[in-house]
Amino acid sequence: MPRTITKEWTVYTFEELTEEAQAKAVEKLRERRASYFDEHDRETIGQDIVYTLAEKFRSPGWDTFGAGDFPGIDRVQIDGWSIDYPLYVEASGALDRENAPALPWVDEIERVDLEAGRHYTRISVVEADPECTCTSDPYAPHDEGCPTLTAPRLSEDAEGAMEQAVRDALHDAAKAGEAEWEYMTGEERARDEAVDMELEFEEDGTPF
């Protein structure tokens, strides 16, 4: 029930407010939440970005850990990101069949190198060298049919598909970070906090 602070001032719980006052309370709480961005927020959003990237790559552990305790993607580092315009993730390291098995690998691709730039990630598809089976001497002549001489070259389509898959995963990771911040500052979160934290308000919905 409403609690009287002074003869002139009474405070209310969120559930005691009228529908109109609740709407104002939610608006004020969202404004207050959006006005600051602390280290905890940054950590939470960063965890969502890494976890989403791992999910897209199907990196080991993505299906057994949550975003909060995921240990990270082996040999990949997130150097920066933005969830405002423009959306981006800056990543560095290397992707291969072990840490990113969901990517469209073909025999001609050995790995994908990532280099963090300013507001972007440079993606370089590294072509695999065929293994020589005819000699252990690099200066000896190769037998006819040696795979080093006969291996097909990486096609532009396969290279393009790999680059696009990595680019899409990075974009989806940035979008996940954006969605987490929208939830943090959204109506649902504000209503839940108002009730769960037993916040108090003036009759018109102004936070006390």
Side-chain angles (χ1 to χ4, degrees), residues 27-86:
E27 179 183 357
K28 292 297 183 182
L29 291 174
R30 292 182 65 186
E31 290 176 354
R32 185 167 68 183
R33 183 69 182 86
S35 67
Y36 65 89
F37 185 83
D38 60 23
E39 189 59 33
H40 176 71
D41 295 331
R42 185 169 184 82
E43 180 180 358
T44 299
I45 292 170
Q47 289 171 344
D48 268 38
I49 288 173
V50 172
Y51 184 73
T52 300
L53 201 57
E55 181 183 3
K56 298 301 177 180
F57 292 155
R58 295 298 190 266
S59 302
W62 76 271
D63 54 349
T64 55
F65 291 92
D69 58 358
F70 182 69
I73 303 172
D74 187 33
R75 299 188 303 285
V76 173
Q77 175 178 310
I78 303 301
D79 299 283
W81 47 263
S82 171
I83 56 173
D84 201 354
Y85 181 81

Side-chain angles (χ1 to χ4, degrees), residues 118-129:
R118 181 175 174 80
H119 302 170
Y120 72 98
T121 296
R122 181 178 290 108
I123 302 166
S124 302
V125 179
V126 179
E127 191 169 359
D129 291 326

